[in-house]
Amino acid sequence: MHRGKGMKFVGDSRVPAPEMRTPKLPKDYSEYPGKTEAFWPNFLLKEWMVGAVFLVGYLSLTVAHPAPLERIADPTDTGYIPLPDWYFLFLYQLLKYSFASGPYTVIGAMIIPGLAFGGLLLAPFLDRGPERRPRKRPLATGFMLLSLAAVVFLTWQSVATHDWAAAERQGKIVQKVEIDKNSEGYKIAQANTCITCHGDSFQGGAGAPTLIGTGLSADEVAKIAKQGKGGKMPPGVFKGSDEELKKLSEYISGLGKK
């Protein structure tokens, strides 16, 4: 055959062709118009805009519903019931149950939360499938829904069962009043165990409200001293005479008045 006419050159199959020896380069993202964007400034600008919307929303909430201030912490007030921040309310509620409180506090404070958060840390190793659709990942989806439901339920229970009225009374800011402990009214209150619950400066404590700036008249104070109030103060606590009751009621009703 003449050279170049119908002749085929067959190379050694062990030698790769030139195009096979060229390493494959990553695809140029310009091949996907409309599906990609530049990180700077397009992507970051969108992130900043979303962050700004949330920031304005949070600032609006703080202006519309400011956080209530409470009185200065008193370490001697054993009746004060603290409330943790909202993101810890589910753990706070967990410690109220009998199986996680008292002698079993370690279970509620360490073991149960440790197992839950340990499971979240192990989630990437337990569910290594390529699927991304929730219905094709039943174990991961089920555990996540169960955890979310538990957190939401416990948080709701903590808010629903908390005595907000008592918390407001406990944290009420009371004006500082100079108490004359040598006055006759104070000595009568001391003799009738008033300061045992209401504090040595009538600042409140042990679940009892403050007696400073109550806005009650002397007659109303005398009535409460004799008949009690709300089940928390039983009737008959005052054991003095009518004259002492009058002096005591006038003394207490005058606390905090300018």
Side-chain angles (χ1 to χ4, degrees):
M1 300 180 72
H2 296 287
R3 184 180 178 86
K5 293 183 178 180
M7 184 178 292
K8 295 181 180 180
F9 294 92
V10 180
D12 192 341
S13 61
R14 292 173 295 179
V15 181
E19 61 274 8
M20 296 180 62
R21 291 197 299 267
T22 305
K24 289 187 176 181
L25 299 176
K27 290 185 177 182
D28 185 2
Y29 286 103
S30 61
E31 298 179 17
Y32 305 95
K35 295 184 179 181
T36 60
E37 62 181 353
F39 180 77
W40 171 266
N42 301 21
F43 180 78
L44 284 183
L45 182 59
K46 291 181 179 179
E47 294 291 314
W48 291 339
M49 290 177 65
V50 173
V53 170
F54 277 93
L55 179 60
V56 171
Y58 283 127
L59 291 176
S60 301
L61 287 176
T62 57
V63 172
H65 303 282
L69 297 178
E70 294 187 358
R71 59 185 172 86
I72 298 176
D74 182 8
T76 63
D77 184 5
T78 58
Y80 182 79
I81 303 176
L83 188 68
D85 292 320
W86 65 269
Y87 43 82
F88 284 132
L89 284 178
F90 69 100
L91 292 175
Y92 174 72
Q93 179 64 23
L94 182 64
L95 293 175
K96 295 181 181 180
Y97 298 117
S98 58
F99 61 85
S101 61
Y104 308 107
T105 303
V106 176
I107 297 177
M110 299 183 65
I111 295 180
I112 296 179
L115 291 175
F117 289 107
L120 290 177
L121 292 175
L122 293 176
F125 303 97
L126 299 177
D127 184 26
R128 304 178 61 182
E131 294 292 341
R132 301 182 63 182
R133 297 181 180 179
R135 67 172 180 270
K136 292 190 176 182
R137 301 175 61 185
L139 290 179
T141 304
F143 284 128
M144 181 56 66
L145 291 177
L146 181 62
S147 302
L148 182 62
V151 170
V152 171
F153 174 75
L154 290 174
T155 302
W156 174 78
Q157 279 287 99
S158 178
V159 174
T161 57
H162 187 68
D163 191 347
W164 295 101
E168 184 178 359
R169 290 194 301 269
Q170 288 180 339
K172 184 179 180 181
I173 298 177
V174 181
Q175 60 179 331
K176 190 173 181 61
V177 176
E178 198 69 30
I179 302 296
D180 184 8
K181 296 184 179 181
N182 294 320
S183 64
E184 188 176 5
Y186 185 87
K187 291 180 179 179
I188 295 174
Q190 190 176 28
N192 287 273
T193 67
C194 297
I195 65 174
T196 303
C197 297
H198 295 280
D200 58 350
S201 297
F202 304 109
Q203 75 277 9
T210 178
L211 297 181
I212 300 174
T214 60
L216 300 175
S217 64
D219 292 337
E220 291 173 328
V221 174
K223 183 178 179 181
I224 294 173
K226 279 288 189 180
Q227 301 179 7
K229 182 181 179 181
K232 292 186 177 181
M233 181 176 176
V237 174
F238 184 81
K239 305 295 183 182
S241 62
D242 292 339
E243 184 180 356
E244 289 177 332
L245 178 60
K246 182 180 179 182
K247 292 180 180 180
L248 174 65
S249 58
E250 291 175 350
Y251 172 74
I252 292 178
S253 64
L255 292 174
K257 289 185 178 180
K258 295 182 180 180

